Amino acid sequence: MYISAAGPTLRKLTRDDLEMLKVHKNNNQTYYHQSILLNDEDQDAWFEKISKDPSCLYFSVSVPQPKQKYCAFKHWSVGCLKLTNIHPIHRSAMIGQDVWECCQGNGYSSKLIGAGVEYALSVLNLHRVECEVIDYNTRSWRSYEERGFKLEGVKRDAVYKGGRYHDSRIYAFVKPPWSYV
């Protein structure tokens, strides 16, 4: 478990978190690059794969006294954070986060990103953290910008969703040379 200076607590994802994650992914297909619907077998196979992969870390994230609307799962976490493509030589990784639907609208996205960057830089000793966000997911890319990520480029017509192509925005956070994190 890792308690970030920004407040959120990161706990390695467990099988107990999979149902909430599956429901969230299946209900929020609009915001993802991939279009997949998950069932229990797919979710179990995915969990087995990531559990053995040293280049990725998945966390369930909780915050002190969460402000959430009614959540059918009565789940204590507010979302999920992932660090993937962790490269120890280049000291880089990809970051992504999901805030559960019942917890959205409370500023948790920015808190998850902040905790993820803090973990990546201070615990994993990474230098660069990047992400890719579909163009119309303005809440997500604004949260990354709020946490110091800079837009590095746009992949034009990179994602096909809803019968049309969409751009994919590429952001990165690079550890400042004077940083003590």
Side-chain angles (χ1 to χ4, degrees):
M1 189 172 344
Y2 177 78
I3 301 172
S4 75
T9 299
L10 307 181
R11 175 185 53 79
K12 190 170 181 181
L13 199 70
T14 66
R15 285 198 183 279
D16 292 339
D17 302 306
L18 294 183
E19 182 64 21
M20 185 71 167
L21 185 60
K22 179 182 75 174
V23 169
H24 178 77
K25 292 283 189 186
N26 284 340
N27 289 343
N28 293 283
Q29 287 293 312
T30 307
Y31 299 107
Y32 298 101
H33 284 70
Q34 305 156 339
S35 293
I36 55 169
L37 290 174
L38 300 169
N39 59 32
D40 291 337
E41 294 79 30
D42 295 335
Q43 191 80 336
D44 285 340
W46 170 82
F47 185 74
E48 285 300 317
K49 180 181 170 189
I50 66 153
S51 296
K52 296 173 184 160
D53 186 348
S55 72
C56 69
L57 293 168
Y58 283 77
F59 300 99
S60 178
V61 184
S62 65
V63 296
Q65 301 175 345
K67 301 175 206 164
Q68 65 188 58
K69 302 166 198 143
Y70 173 73
C71 183
F73 287 90
K74 296 186 174 133
H75 208 272
W76 66 275
S77 79
V78 295
C80 176
L81 175 78
K82 61 183 176 182
L83 292 167
T84 59
N85 299 342
I86 300 169
H87 199 290
I89 294 172
H90 300 308
R91 296 179 48 216
S92 63
M94 295 284 293
I95 190 172
Q97 45 81 32
D98 297 300
V99 175
W100 307 141
E101 197 167 11
C102 57
C103 298
Q104 292 176 2
N106 293 300
Y108 292 136
S109 182
S110 181
K111 289 181 189 261
L112 267 67
I113 294 164
V117 170
E118 179 186 320
Y119 186 88
L121 274 53
S122 63
V123 176
L124 300 178
N125 194 29
L126 298 183
H127 176 72
R128 175 187 170 84
V129 182
E130 61 187 75
C131 67
E132 213 171 310
V133 182
I134 202 161
D135 62 355
Y136 57 79
N137 192 352
T138 54
R139 287 192 328 185
S140 184
W141 55 260
R142 283 188 181 140
S143 292
Y144 283 105
E145 288 175 347
E146 183 180 304
R147 284 301 183 164
F149 280 71
K150 302 293 183 215
L151 180 65
E152 292 194 329
V154 176
K155 289 165 56 174
R156 293 177 34 237
D157 289 346
V159 181
Y160 188 76
K161 285 272 207 190
R164 61 181 282 242
Y165 286 96
H166 299 278
D167 295 345
S168 186
R169 299 168 66 100
I170 302 166
Y171 286 90
F173 181 94
V174 178
K175 185 177 183 176
W178 45 265
S179 176
Y180 295 106
V181 176

